């Protein structure tokens, strides 16, 4: 196998590694965004629970509007989180595909290295056999 082919596999392996890192970074960003959404949602729910006395008549209308506004915000956040989860699933599949490609390249590289090693061993064995045969023939001719 030529040096160019080996170098080509190394280049492909490095490219796959860079692609995997880029997709993993995307997944981290999606997960971070989901964490932010969940934290905001939890803060809104806590804010509703900590709000003043809901039984006070003068605050009932304001409290009701506040709860409605927070509920709408929570629903928007949940819809955004669902969209991000769907996006995350696609990115996860892409990452799995890239890992499979990288593993395939690694297996090809390992297989080719093993083939080169076996070929080198065969050549060495053939050279040794030829040397031994030459020595044997010299010894026989000398007798």
């Amino acid at each position: 196998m030529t040096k160019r082919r080996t170098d080509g596999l190394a280049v492909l392996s490095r490219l796959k590694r860079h692609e995997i890192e880029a997709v993993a970074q995307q997944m981290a960003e999606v997960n971070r965004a989901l964490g932010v959404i969940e934290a905001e949602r939890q803060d809104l729910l806590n804010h509703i629970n900590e709000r003043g006395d809901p039984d006070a008549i003068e605050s009932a209308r304001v409290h009701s509007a506040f709860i409605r506004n927070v509920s709408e915000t929570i629903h928007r956040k949940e819809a955004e989180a669902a969209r991000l989860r769907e996006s995350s699933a696609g990115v996860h599949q892409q990452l799995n595909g890239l890992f499979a490609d990288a593993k395939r390249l690694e297996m090809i590289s390992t297989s080719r290295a093993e083939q080169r090693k076996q070929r080198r061993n065969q050549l060495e064995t053939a050279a040794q056999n030829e040397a031994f045969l030459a020595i044997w023939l010299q010894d026989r001719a000398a007798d």
Side-chain angles (χ1 to χ4, degrees):
M1 177 175 316
T2 66
K3 180 83 169 138
R4 286 181 80 182
R5 289 180 84 185
T6 305
D7 291 344
L9 283 175
V11 169
L12 284 175
S13 293
R14 282 193 303 274
L15 286 173
K16 284 298 173 192
R17 189 171 42 248
H18 288 298
E19 285 182 61
I20 289 170
E21 289 170 0
V23 172
Q25 186 176 8
Q26 286 177 341
M27 286 217 29
E29 289 172 9
V30 167
N31 289 337
R32 183 197 52 77
L34 284 171
V36 168
I37 289 171
E38 183 57 33
E40 290 174 351
R41 183 182 155 299
Q42 194 59 43
D43 285 345
L44 289 170
L45 288 173
N46 290 341
H47 197 59
I48 286 176
N49 292 334
E50 293 170 357
R51 196 67 178 177
D53 183 12
D55 295 332
I57 293 175
E58 60 275 0
S59 69
R61 188 167 35 110
V62 173
H63 190 68
S64 174
F66 173 74
I67 290 175
R68 190 171 31 255
N69 186 8
V70 169
S71 294
E72 289 172 1
T73 303
I74 288 173
H75 287 299
R76 280 194 308 274
K77 296 285 182 189
E78 287 173 348
E80 185 179 350
R83 183 186 57 76
L84 283 172
R85 284 187 193 98
E86 288 175 13
S87 170
S88 175
V91 171
H92 188 69
Q93 287 177 338
Q94 183 182 7
L95 188 61
N96 284 342
L98 288 171
F99 275 133
D101 289 346
K103 187 63 177 176
R104 205 171 301 117
L105 285 172
E106 180 185 332
M107 289 172 58
I108 290 170
S109 179
T110 302
S111 171
R112 288 185 178 169
E114 184 62 33
Q115 288 172 355
R116 283 190 308 274
K117 183 180 176 184
Q118 286 178 355
R119 180 69 182 144
R120 193 173 45 249
N121 288 342
Q122 287 173 349
L123 290 173
E124 288 175 4
T125 302
Q128 286 176 350
N129 287 344
E130 190 174 320
F132 289 139
L133 181 60
I135 292 170
W136 183 77
L137 287 174
Q138 282 179 345
D139 285 348
R140 215 171 134 105
D143 288 340

